[in-house]
């Protein structure tokens, strides 16, 4: 198993290049997370018939013709204001918290997301007639890595709720734990048919890249496995703690849920962690079910174009991620929040049995056909 | 680099494992277990057992979370009560553990350096599954029965708290 591309014979230079690429990957995820914050405010404003942020402006930048006005109208300078606010505000450390866990929790909320981003195939490149993913690490069990490490993100919420030593965060953390336990099961079960399908096609079945490549120039898996895709998507909403599943935060019952006691940059990390999770989760969904870097079902970027195709594939993937993020936001401002018991009922009595049935049905289908 | 990582993961593993039994706060103890699991997964990565490593994170990471919820729900943040009987029991357990490790792994005592064991590269998942369901079918079944026993045990332990109370008293 060659898990990485060798750029140079010198291990040090190779390592430096990989370090640079990882930083670039983190920047891309962070940029997407930041832009999704703006998109959230803008999309929700349009859904509610408002304009959203369109006044904030930095004095000098505002005066640049066209660009300044564009940034101002689209709320992009609001993003800078929000970010700086998190950075510059006083960083409170309440007296009653358990300090180590309290400080560790925001890191635990963001770090797994950035790790998972390392195995996402953002595109494809060809070398000696073989396709390789445009990702930091090309490992053949990347799907398992994504599910395993992505699941660790909830420890951020749990640690925050526990260490805050206060009622609402605590209840939020308990809900987060219950929710993740129930929906991770459904998520794992829902990808089983996909893994099985990939393994019938003789490819490394637990690799996100191989599963995405299988759909390249073919029908997308969301058409072949619609139920799997639906269950995965619902579980993804639950995993990322997005409305209608944001039981852990649920500001109508819990003030602000698990991060009630947090302020300034620590809260900012939770915030970025949530949007980062949305971005990486979208990327995962696209690679598994929405054809990866293909523009349309049944049509792909030809390998004969070389580097042009590679750039186009990355661009296609990022555009799809952007669409997926807007879809996440759209759902959030359309569907009201569930009650906690409804979330549990949906998870255990609907999604888990459906996912299991789907898997068994696919098993029966393949053994007959 | 590998050596540094090896010592970091070893420190996580051993430190976490010690934390589980030494720290008196139950939640910190559960979190040490998570640290220990992550350290073990890291060591497996160094041994090129990628599949086992991430299964470790996936299964035990989730398991620790369940444990966490159980601890918080059943015990809360009460500290464990000190009792001389418990100390005696702990002493006996430690003595037995030392004796056991001395008997089963006598080579540990000489302290000589050894090469890192290699965990055999797995061809693919299909081979792994086939292996699990043919060659290792008996251990698999035994583990299943053990887990079932554990589940029944947990229900038995957790139940008496609620027994006898009227349903409306419960949350």
């Amino acid at each position: 198993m060659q898990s990485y591309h060798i750029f140079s014979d010198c291990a040090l230079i190779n390592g430096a290049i990989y370090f640079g690429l990882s930083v670039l990957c983190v920047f891309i995820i962070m940029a997407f997370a930041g832009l999704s914050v703006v998109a959230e405010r803008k999309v929700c404003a349009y859904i509610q018939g408002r304009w959203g942020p369109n006044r904030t402006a930095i004095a000098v930048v505002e005066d640049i013709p066209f660009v300044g006005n564009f940034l101002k109208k689209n709320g992009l300078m609001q993003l800078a204001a929000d970010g700086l606010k998190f950075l510059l505000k006083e960083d409170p450390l309440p007296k009653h918290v358990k300090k180590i866990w309290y400080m560790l929790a925001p890191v635990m909320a963001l770090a797994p997301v950035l790790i998972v981003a390392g195995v996402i195939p953002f595109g494809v490149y060809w070398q000696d007639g073989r396709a390789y993913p445009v990702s930091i690490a090309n490992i053949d069990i990347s799907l398992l890595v994504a599910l395993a490490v992505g699941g660790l993100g909830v420890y951020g919420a749990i640690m925050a709720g526990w260490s805050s030593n206060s009622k609402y965060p605590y209840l939020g953390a308990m809900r987060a734990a219950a929710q993740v336990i129930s929906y991770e099961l459904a998520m794992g079960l829902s990808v089983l048919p996909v893994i099985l399908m990939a393994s019938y096609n003789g490819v490394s079945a637990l690799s996100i890249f191989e599963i995405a490549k299988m759909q390249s120039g073919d029908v997308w898996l969301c058409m072949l496995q619609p139920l799997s895709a639906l269950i995965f998507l619902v579980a993804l909403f639950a995993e990322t703690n997005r409305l209608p599943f944001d039981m852990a935060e649920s500001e109508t019952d819990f003030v602000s849920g698990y991060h009630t006691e947090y302020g300034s940059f620590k809260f900012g990390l939770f915030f970025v962690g949530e949007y980062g999770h949305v971005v990486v989760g979208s990327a995962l969904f696209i690679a598994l079910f929405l054809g990866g870097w293909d523009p349309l079902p049944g049509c792909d970027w030809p390998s004969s174009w070389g580097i042009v195709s590679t750039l186009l594939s990355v661009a296609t993937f990022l555009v799809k991620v952007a669409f997926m993020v807007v879809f996440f936001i759209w759902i959030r401002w359309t569907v009201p929040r569930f009650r906690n018991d409804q979330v549990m009922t949906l998870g255990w009595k609907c999604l888990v049995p459906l996912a299991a049935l789907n898997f068994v049905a696919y098993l029966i289908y393949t053994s007959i056909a | 680099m590998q050596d540094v990582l090896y010592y970091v993961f070893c420190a996580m593993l051993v430190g976490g494992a010690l934390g589980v039994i030494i720290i008196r706060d139950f939640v910190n103890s559960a979190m040490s277990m998570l640290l220990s699991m992550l350290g073990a997964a890291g060591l497996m990565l160094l041994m090129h057992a990628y599949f086992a490593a991430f299964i470790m994170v996936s299964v035990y990471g989730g398991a620790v979370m369940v444990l966490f919820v159980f601890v918080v729900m059943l015990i809360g943040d009460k500290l464990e009560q000190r009792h001389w009987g418990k100390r005696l029991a702990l002493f006996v357990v430690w003595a037995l553990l030392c004796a056991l490790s001395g008997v089963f792994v006598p080579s540990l005592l000489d302290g000589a350096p050894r090469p890192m064991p290699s965990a055999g590269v797995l061809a693919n998942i299909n081979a792994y599954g086939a292996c699990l369901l043919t060659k290792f079918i008996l251990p698999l079944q035994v583990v299943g029965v053990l887990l079932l026993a554990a589940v029944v045990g947990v229900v038995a332990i957790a139940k008496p708290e609620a027994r006898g109370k009227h349903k409306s008293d419960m949350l």
Side-chain angles (χ1 to χ4, degrees):
Chain A
M1 182 181 72
Q2 190 213 340
S3 59
Y4 53 88
H5 184 80
I6 296 166
F7 291 100
S8 150
D9 291 333
C10 174
L12 206 63
I13 296 174
N14 222 13
I17 290 175
Y18 266 96
F19 182 74
L21 284 179
S22 312
V23 172
L24 181 71
C25 183
V26 168
F27 263 107
I28 289 175
I29 299 295
M30 287 304 205
F32 256 89
L35 287 175
S36 15
V37 178
V38 178
E40 176 104 75
R41 301 185 67 163
K42 276 299 194 187
V43 172
C44 97
Y46 289 137
I47 286 175
Q48 296 168 344
R50 300 183 283 116
W51 283 109
N54 63 352
R55 309 278 166 91
T56 316
I58 303 167
V60 183
V61 182
E62 187 193 14
D63 296 333
I64 305 172
F66 303 114
V67 178
N69 202 36
F70 174 81
L71 292 179
K72 187 169 127 185
K73 282 275 180 274
N74 288 304
L76 285 166
M77 286 192 263
Q78 179 72 39
L79 175 66
D82 284 346
L84 280 177
K85 185 187 75 175
F86 283 138
L87 210 58
L88 297 178
K89 268 174 116 173
E90 187 195 349
D91 193 11
L93 185 62
K95 277 263 161 54
H96 55 82
V97 299
K98 298 179 173 66
K99 297 236 164 31
I100 299 173
W101 299 127
Y102 183 82
M103 308 280 253
L104 209 57
V107 180
M108 211 44 201
L110 182 60
V113 170
L114 297 180
I115 296 175
V116 173
V119 298
I120 299 285
F122 287 99
V124 60
Y125 72 91
W126 293 269
Q127 202 177 35
D128 308 330
R130 273 197 68 192
Y132 293 96
V134 180
S135 67
I136 306 295
N138 172 24
I139 44 182
D140 59 0
I141 49 164
S142 46
L143 180 56
L144 191 65
V145 176
L147 292 181
V149 179
L152 289 183
V154 73
Y155 279 107
I158 295 179
M159 278 183 189
W162 170 255
S163 66
S164 293
N165 199 7
S166 127
K167 295 280 185 294
Y168 291 128
Y170 172 75
L171 287 170
M174 285 300 108
R175 280 190 178 185
Q179 184 173 314
V180 164
I181 290 167
S182 10
Y183 282 82
E184 212 166 53
L185 198 60
M187 191 184 235
L189 275 175
S190 73
V191 289
L192 280 184
V194 174
I195 293 171
L196 207 60
M197 203 175 231
S199 88
Y200 279 132
N201 285 3
V203 298
S204 177
L206 282 177
S207 156
I208 301 174
F209 173 66
E210 295 290 342
I211 293 173
K213 203 176 74 178
M214 194 172 77
Q215 306 166 57
S216 184
D218 207 337
V219 283
W220 293 355
L221 274 180
C222 65
M223 300 169 194
L224 294 176
Q225 296 283 354
L227 194 56
S228 276
L230 184 68
I231 295 170
F232 191 87
L233 188 63
V234 174
L236 198 61
F237 269 89
E239 290 264 301
T240 51
N241 259 325
R242 294 285 296 178
L243 232 78
F245 289 99
D246 81 339
M247 290 298 113
E249 201 178 318
S250 182
E251 65 268 15
T252 41
D253 350 344
F254 287 167
V255 188
S256 185
Y258 60 92
H259 53 59
T260 306
E261 303 280 342
Y262 282 84
S264 104
F265 202 64
K266 292 201 200 73
F267 168 76
L269 280 185
F270 277 118
F271 203 59
V272 173
E274 183 186 321
Y275 284 99
H277 213 139
V278 168
V279 171
V280 171
S282 307
L284 190 60
F285 184 74
I286 287 164
L288 288 183
F289 291 104
L290 289 184
W293 48 84
D294 279 10
L296 287 169
C299 108
D300 57 346
W301 301 115
S303 60
S304 51
W305 294 1
I307 186 78
V308 179
S309 243
T310 301
L311 291 176
L312 281 174
S313 71
V314 173
T316 316
F317 196 87
L318 292 182
V319 167
K320 277 185 180 177
V321 170
F323 268 106
M324 227 15 230
V325 169
V326 171
F327 176 72
F328 263 83
I329 296 167
W330 185 12
I331 293 285
R332 168 171 179 176
W333 296 98
T334 309
V335 184
R337 177 185 290 121
F338 292 130
R339 276 196 330 258
N340 198 35
D341 62 314
Q342 288 171 332
V343 170
M344 287 297 121
T345 312
L346 181 68
W348 287 108
K349 293 189 183 163
C350 179
L351 290 187
V352 171
L354 260 183
L357 268 181
N358 185 35
F359 178 51
V360 172
Y362 182 69
L363 274 182
I364 293 172
Y365 167 76
T366 47
S367 52
I368 292 172
Chain B
M1 186 66 190
Q2 284 238 335
D3 288 347
V4 175
L5 282 177
Y6 174 77
Y7 284 115
V8 168
F9 287 138
C10 277
M12 279 168 74
L13 177 64
V14 177
L18 283 178
V20 174
I21 49 177
I22 289 177
I23 297 177
R24 293 180 66 236
D25 181 344
F26 287 107
V27 172
N28 287 349
S29 176
M31 282 302 176
S32 314
M33 195 165 169
L34 176 66
L35 189 71
S36 172
M37 299 297 181
L38 290 182
L43 282 182
M44 287 179 185
L45 275 185
L46 286 185
M47 286 189 270
H48 303 292
Y50 303 103
F51 184 69
F54 283 103
I55 283 289
M56 184 94 183
V57 174
S58 176
V59 173
Y60 289 103
V64 170
M65 188 158 54
V66 178
L67 188 72
F68 182 94
V69 175
F70 260 100
V71 165
V72 166
M73 288 295 179
L74 291 180
I75 308 171
D77 58 352
K78 289 190 295 266
L79 289 181
E80 190 197 354
Q81 296 300 310
R82 285 165 193 247
H83 189 264
W84 67 268
K86 272 186 193 162
R87 290 193 173 182
L88 186 68
L90 208 62
F91 179 75
V92 172
V93 167
W94 272 109
L96 277 177
L97 261 181
C98 294
L100 267 182
S101 55
V103 169
F104 282 113
V105 204
S107 53
L108 273 181
L109 299 173
D110 62 7
R114 272 174 205 85
M116 172 86 92
S118 168
V121 180
L122 197 66
N124 57 20
I125 308 302
N126 303 12
Y128 181 80
C131 187
L132 200 64
L133 287 179
T134 52
K135 193 175 173 192
F136 294 104
I137 186 71
L138 187 67
L140 191 73
Q141 301 275 350
V142 172
V143 166
V145 173
L146 269 180
L147 284 178
L148 184 66
V151 169
V152 174
V154 164
V155 172
I157 290 172
K159 198 73 182 167
E161 296 272 324
R163 192 176 291 157
K165 284 186 186 163
H166 197 261
K167 205 178 175 190
S168 60
D169 293 342
M170 288 160 56
L171 194 65

